[in-house]
């Protein structure tokens, strides 16, 4: 009996843990050999980062793809409007005032006899220029000030926080009416400067909060313990991990700045003729919208599509960069 029990125990031991370990080892070897396994052809061995995961999610998001294509088209026609629109946007013929669509003018003519199609195409250059330049200025100024306030704190943080409160108290449209009414320049730079002046506090607060959150992480504390300088900690360890919220907010705000430029131009304090702007065309077409609705609908439609494209792009980027949504 004892010998038989020893044989049974040996059989159980041979087919129990040892068998399971052999099976696990064989399965691991099989997985390593498969293309999707840890050692497969698709595994590059590189650690995945937030940016690589975000780019992978964006490529699979149809909202991002559609909005990116629309924005790419707007950028192209902003750089080369003559590629799809012949003639000058300032060339007008009063004999064709308020005429409907016809040969060479698929969108018709406005109240001054100008080609609505040509002006709509050339108006994209103004909107894209104002939106991109204002967004870059706001993001740069707000990020630098917010990062410094969140990193150093103290009196600098208190003064900057109270300064942002003052700028938040200024109504944007009312501030534009007051500040831009005394400007006589017909260029886009006064409008861009006004947007940067009133737009940086929002990005500043977001950058400040993001820096405060990131600098509590262990790798930042380890860099401090190793004697890294404040500039190295801020630029090498904190900024790359705190910039995602700023990118999301700036992308969404770009469409808002385009709409703001059109609003100010419509009110007569933004861009002024002979500049070409969708806001100027909408304002000029408003008095005769019943007789020639096409003169208002096309620039207004182009403005709406542009703003919607940038907002959709910002939403897609936000979803891709937010780890809580994964």
């Amino acid at each position: 009996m004892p010998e038989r029990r020893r044989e049974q125990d040996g059989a159980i031991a041979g087919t129990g843990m040892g068998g399971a370990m052999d099976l696990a080892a064989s399965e691991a070897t099989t997985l390593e050999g498969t293309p999707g396994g840890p050692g497969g052809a698709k595994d590059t061995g590189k650690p995945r980062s937030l940016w690589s995961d975000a780019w992978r999610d964006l490529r699979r998001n149809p909202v991002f793809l559609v909005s990116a294509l629309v924005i790419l088209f707007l950028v192209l026609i902003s750089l080369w409007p003559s590629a799809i629109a012949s003639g000058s946007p300032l060339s007008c013929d009063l004999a064709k005032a308020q005429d409907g669509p016809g040969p060479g003018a698929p969108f018709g003519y406005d109240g001054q006899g100008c080609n609505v199609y040509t002006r709509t195409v050339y108006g994209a250059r103004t909107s894209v220029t104002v939106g991109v330049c204002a967004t870059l200025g706001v993001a740069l100024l707000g990020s630098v000030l917010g990062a410094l306030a969140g990193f150093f704190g103290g009196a600098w943080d208190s003064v900057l926080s109270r300064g942002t409160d003052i700028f938040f108290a200024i109504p944007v449209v009312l501030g534009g009416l007051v500040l831009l009414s005394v400007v006589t320049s017909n260029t886009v730079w006064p409008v861009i400067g006004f947007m940067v002046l009133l737009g940086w506090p929002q990005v500043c607060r977001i950058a400040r909060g993001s820096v405060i959150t990131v600098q509590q992480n262990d790798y930042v504390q380890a860099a401090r313990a190793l004697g890294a300088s404040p500039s190295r900690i801020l630029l090498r360890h904190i900024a790359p991990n705190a910039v995602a919220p700023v990118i999301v907010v700036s992308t969404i705000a770009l469409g808002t700045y385009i709409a703001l430029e059109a609003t100010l131009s419509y009110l007569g304090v933004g861009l002024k003729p002979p500049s070409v702007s969708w806001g100027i065309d909408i304002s000029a077409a408003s008095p005769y919208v019943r007789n020639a609705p096409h003169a208002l609908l096309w620039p207004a439609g182009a403005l709406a599509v542009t703003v919607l494209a940038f907002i959709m792009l910002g939403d897609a980027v936000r979803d891709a960069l937010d780890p809580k949504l994964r």
Side-chain angles (χ1 to χ4, degrees):
M1 290 294 295
E3 294 179 359
R4 180 174 299 176
R5 183 174 296 276
R6 291 193 191 97
E7 293 176 359
Q8 292 176 352
D9 292 341
I12 293 174
T15 59
M17 292 297 297
M21 293 176 63
D22 294 341
L23 179 60
S26 63
E27 289 179 349
T29 304
T30 303
L31 288 174
E32 290 179 357
T34 56
K42 294 184 179 179
D43 186 14
T44 61
K46 296 181 180 179
R48 291 166 57 183
S49 64
L50 172 66
W51 303 104
S52 61
D53 289 344
W55 176 241
R56 183 190 60 185
D57 293 342
L58 287 174
R59 288 181 299 176
R60 300 176 180 178
N61 191 343
V63 174
F64 170 78
L65 296 177
V66 173
S67 59
L69 289 176
V70 174
I71 293 172
L72 178 61
F73 174 73
L74 290 171
V75 172
L76 291 177
I77 66 174
S78 300
L79 296 175
W80 301 285
S82 59
I84 62 172
S86 60
S88 171
L90 302 178
S91 177
C92 305
D93 185 0
L94 287 176
K96 300 179 180 179
Q98 302 185 15
D99 286 354
F107 295 172
Y109 296 88
D110 62 9
Q112 300 296 324
C114 302
N115 193 323
V116 177
Y117 172 77
T118 303
R119 292 187 63 86
T120 302
V121 171
Y122 277 84
R125 171 181 292 179
T126 301
S127 297
V128 172
T129 301
V130 170
V132 171
C133 293
T135 301
L136 291 177
V138 168
L140 181 61
L141 180 60
S143 298
V144 171
L145 295 179
L148 294 177
F151 184 74
F152 292 104
W156 171 257
D157 186 16
S158 300
V159 172
L160 191 62
S161 297
R162 301 294 76 79
T164 56
D165 292 338
I166 295 175
F167 280 94
F168 273 124
I170 302 176
V172 178
V173 177
L174 180 59
L177 290 173
V178 174
L179 295 177
L180 295 177
S181 60
V182 298
V183 176
T184 58
S185 175
N186 290 329
T187 63
V188 299
W189 300 114
V191 179
I192 294 174
F194 162 74
M195 293 180 182
V196 173
L197 179 64
L198 294 186
W200 68 268
Q202 180 184 13
V203 176
C204 178
R205 283 195 171 182
I206 293 174
R208 172 184 174 274
S210 182
V211 168
I212 291 176
T213 301
V214 170
Q215 70 176 345
Q216 305 300 325
N217 293 332
D218 294 337
Y219 57 86
V220 178
Q221 304 302 326
R224 284 198 177 99
L226 292 174
S229 63
S231 60
R232 180 179 178 84
I233 293 175
L234 183 59
L235 296 178
R236 296 291 299 274
H237 301 284
I238 294 180
N241 297 283
V243 73
V246 175
I247 294 177
V248 173
V249 172
S250 299
T251 307
I252 298 177
L254 201 155
T256 305
Y257 294 141
I258 293 177
L260 179 59
E261 179 274 321
T263 302
L264 295 175
S265 298
Y266 178 86
L267 295 175
V269 296
L271 297 178
K272 304 174 182 63
S275 299
V276 181
S277 169
W278 289 335
I280 294 176
D281 291 346
I282 294 173
S283 177
S286 297
Y288 53 87
V289 62
R290 293 185 178 180
N291 298 329
H294 57 271
L296 183 144
L297 293 179
W298 286 111
L303 175 64
V305 170
T306 302
V307 174
L308 180 61
F310 280 105
I311 292 177
M312 291 171 57
L313 181 70
D315 290 340
V317 173
R318 179 198 59 195
D319 296 341
L321 292 177
D322 191 353
K324 297 180 181 180
L325 300 177
R326 298 185 181 278

